[in-house]
Amino acid sequence: MDTSDETLAQAAASGDHAAFAALVTRHYDRIFGLGWRLTGSRTEAEDLAQEICAVLPHRLRGWRAEARFTTWLYRVVVNAAHDARRRAAVRSRAADGWGDWEIARQEAMAEDRAAQDWLAGAMTRLPVELRDTVALVLGEDMTQAEAGMVLGLSEGTIAWRMSEVKKRLRAMATEEAKA
């Protein structure tokens, strides 16, 4: 004669791995089937059944045998499905908020790339000596004095060149905005 579910559940709650395996083998299809009916999705039902089987040893310790094992198991499946729905709703709401944030972030990144592309193109139209100065001061993060030492120029000349770069870039941007 087969061992009753209740006897297997009590043994599994006490750590009997064979009893737990027998319960899962006996009831997996029931767990999966109810999960499928509750979620409407085979994939979600498979995930739900796996999740339930993973937590079932811990849950069995709380089983008090006040109802039939299958009644208790149905309750576990229903509660797990409700929990999964709540988690999905929270993730969905969070994703909506993150979606807006991500769209704004992507737009800002595109604007930054466009500005960098424009600047790179504009820099090629500057005279070589101005490009060298900008490359050292902005690209290599040197002080004007350090750039002057590298280029063999005074700090004042470097300051004038940086001023000239700004003036020319503004003029280019203004001219392009008119076009």
Side-chain angles (χ1 to χ4, degrees), residues 3-175:
T3 307
S4 73
D5 290 336
E6 289 72 19
T7 302
L8 288 173
Q10 288 174 339
S14 299
D16 184 336
H17 297 291
F20 178 74
L23 275 176
V24 170
T25 300
R26 189 179 287 177
H27 295 287
Y28 183 84
D29 290 342
R30 178 175 282 140
I31 295 168
F32 173 77
L34 179 56
W36 194 346
R37 285 184 291 284
L38 292 171
T39 63
S41 163
R42 180 179 182 84
T43 303
E44 287 180 38
E46 288 170 349
D47 291 345
L48 190 66
Q50 289 176 10
E51 179 184 323
I52 290 167
C53 289
V55 300
L56 201 54
H58 174 71
R59 292 285 185 106
L60 280 169
R61 292 186 200 119
W63 181 60
R64 294 184 306 272
E66 294 171 354
R68 287 183 31 207
F69 174 76
T70 53
T71 303
W72 176 83
L73 184 60
Y74 281 134
R75 186 80 233 147
V76 169
V77 175
V78 168
N79 288 341
H82 289 180
D83 290 345
R85 270 191 225 111
R86 278 191 294 274
R87 283 191 308 269
V90 167
R91 278 194 302 273
S92 176
R93 283 191 305 276
D96 288 345
W98 279 107
D100 295 341
W101 176 82
E102 181 63 16
I103 289 167
R105 188 180 78 84
Q106 291 292 333
E107 288 172 356
M109 287 172 44
E111 289 173 10
D112 288 347
R113 277 192 303 275
Q116 289 173 357
D117 291 346
W118 178 86
L119 185 58
M123 294 297 290
T124 63
R125 294 182 295 190
L126 291 174
V128 174
E129 63 273 359
L130 294 180
R131 275 188 291 190
D132 292 347
T133 303
V134 170
L136 293 172
V137 173
L138 298 180
E140 297 301 318
D141 202 26
M142 288 185 175
T143 65
Q144 291 179 357
E146 292 169 332
M149 289 176 64
V150 169
L151 295 173
L153 301 168
S154 71
E155 186 175 347
T157 301
I158 299 299
W160 176 85
R161 282 184 176 184
M162 290 303 296
S163 176
E164 185 66 18
V165 166
K166 291 175 189 174
K167 183 173 83 174
R168 289 187 186 202
L169 290 176
R170 270 192 227 108
M172 285 180 208
T174 302
E175 192 63 36

